Amino acid sequence: MNKLLAAGIVVGMVVGGAGGAFLAGRARPSEPSLSEIRRALISRQLDTAVELADRRLVVRPDDVDTRLLLGEVWQRRDDYEKAVAAYRAIPQTAEDKAFAARVATASLALQSGHLQDAEEALLLADELSPQNPLTDDQWVSVLTLSGQNEEMPAPPDNLFAKIFAVGDPLGLLGAAYTAAALGRVEQTQDLIDRCLSRRSDLVDAFVIRGMLYLDANQYEDFARFVASLPESVQQLPGYWLNCGRAAQLQGNERGAIRCYWEVLRRQPNHDRATYQMGQALATIGEREQAQRFLSRGAKLTQLQKVAIEIFDGREDAERFWECAQLTEQLGRPPECRLWCQLLLERHPTHRAARLKLQELERKWPEQPPFLLSEQDLASTFAGEKYAIPNWEASQNQPVSRFAAASQIHFVDEALTTGLDFTYFSGEDLSTPGKRMFEYTGGGVGVLDYDRDGWPDVYLTQGSHQPGDLDQSEFLDALFRNQNGSGWSSVATLARIADSGFGQGLAAADFDNDGFADLYVANIDGNRLLRNNGDGTFSRSPEFAAVARDSWSVSAAIADLNGDSHPDIYLANYLTGDDVFHRVCPDDQGVPRLTCQPLVFAAEPDQLLNSLGDGRFEDGSVGSGIDIPEGRGMGVVVGRLTQSTSLEVFVANDATANFHWIPTPSAAGQHSRLQYVDNALLLGTAVDAAGRAQASMGIAAGDAAAARAG
């Protein structure tokens, strides 16, 4: 329901309920009645309604019913100041009528961009009726617009325009949070200054300023800034979050643990602090404790993701039920009950939700606790044994990983040297929106296919549409290196005429004959090209037995099980009957630029074990990698931790990355491999806030060694 309409109903109900008692008495001759004012309001004779209300207030200056009606009249005349003045004139002692006035003020203030007025009205409303559902939505809007609620979607742009127009300090605070997230340092500093010039008590602005120091690696400035802050700022979760981040930048993991614990004492459901607490604990070897925080952090992140999808219009039963389950697992029974109620409103026959709601009502006939004590991890963790970082004694500036300016620069000489190639993504300008395959792009492989000592280049090509294998307009390309002096196109000579919709590729000697072979990942069918050793390639007939009809984006070839025969790992993306032609509309039915990857089901990755004779067997099932939520875009293989066996890292789109570690029983054995995903514990699954990113391609190297050199 529109908030303004809701506020009007509240005012109307309160005034209407009181009108009968008043009119039972006799109105004074020169005194307009409430009914006259109301009739003028309903008939939109607003000037008359104002004149009647003013005359009545001369006789009855303390009459709250008249002031409620007058506030609504000015509201309809779009006179913000006079409407708010009428509502504010109603004292708190008027109770129900005062509450109606505060709700109406908050609603009007929100629509006009006056967040500070809305906050003030809601605080007064909470004094009269704490935790009233009529003010819940309004509080969410105030917190979202002021940047203090990370779990809600962004508000409309026109509302931000109103906030800027009135220079509201809370609105400026929210804009500062947004600017900081976008990396606009100067704009953020300006917004903070403007915000504090209007309200010096907005301590959240100091938190943003601390974020800027850390983003710029100005650690000494941050330390001095923290030491100068008033004690009131130290009560904010954001203050301690900044301190935890600064401690980690200095390598002080124990100090970071104390800071993140302080965040969670104040805000037990803070997703970023929960995740970083787990990371810091894992770093000092407290793996069991780390897993508790990391597991909870993953649930908090998933809840936020699914809830935003629901707010975005995807109101299917599965998403509501997932939110109900997650809130129950997180120990938040009131929210679980609410999600069940919302689900049943839309899907009355959902049996599991009805049973869960009955269970909750039996367990808590009255209001349940917001957070169960056993799920309040900070309350059961001895965080006080870790020392708070001493900022006044800290003098060391953190070293930026890329502080030294590189002397290396590049010049694009592709065309002048003969490397002339353009990838065609299948873009169709005649139709609105874009299909998913138009975004993934092609791959490049560097290999010395003819063993002349010079690296050659293979490039995959797209097409108009996946599945059109008879087309010959767009074919993969192979460029031979002319001893460093240029490139020549040799795809035809090498008997390469791949017409598939190309994605990534991998080059390796899979048959151990000394010549690099190629594995080409296509949307419409992968190819294993055997290097014949005479400058030509041929398709491997043995590969067809294990080839899936999957959308593979990237591939890696390596001897994963240590039997001297290279195996193949395929990072697969999406699947579904409409994955190649679906275009997603927005709320108005207009095709969006693209669909979100989460709209489609994920295609599980595939592991192909080499049998040593040119044949492969599909070892995916039972290996641990055959899980449903991947959406792989990139893959790299290497000894990425202290493991003596090869690990596999997969960059996933919009879902957590995989970091596959071979299990002790499988590592080093010439057998089918088994893996466990350690990405969350190793800090490679999600970003610093514990949220999945749109990970794409990936490269690996020893950055520490490169810096040392």
Side-chain angles (χ1 to χ4, degrees), residues 515-558:
F515 289 90
D517 308 297
L518 287 165
Y519 187 93
V520 181
N522 291 322
I523 296 179
D524 41 18
N526 303 332
R527 313 279 190 271
L528 182 58
L529 303 179
R530 186 195 302 272
N531 190 329
N532 299 319
D534 59 0
T536 65
F537 289 83
S538 58
R539 289 191 186 181
S540 173
E542 297 89 353
F543 178 70
V546 292
R548 281 191 203 165
D549 185 17
S550 301
W551 181 353
S552 299
V553 175
S554 293
I557 301 177

Side-chain angles (χ1 to χ4, degrees), residues 607-659:
L607 176 62
L608 303 179
N609 296 323
S610 174
L611 299 179
D613 57 2
R615 295 180 301 132
F616 292 84
E617 68 173 1
D618 191 337
S620 309
V621 177
S623 67
I625 73 161
D626 53 336
I627 59 178
E629 288 296 314
R631 301 178 179 86
M633 294 290 283
V635 57
V636 68
V637 175
R639 293 183 175 87
L640 306 175
T641 61
Q642 300 301 316
S643 173
T644 58
S645 301
L646 293 178
E647 305 158 30
V648 181
F649 182 85
V650 183
N652 289 323
D653 186 10
T655 47
N657 302 321
F658 298 146
H659 194 144

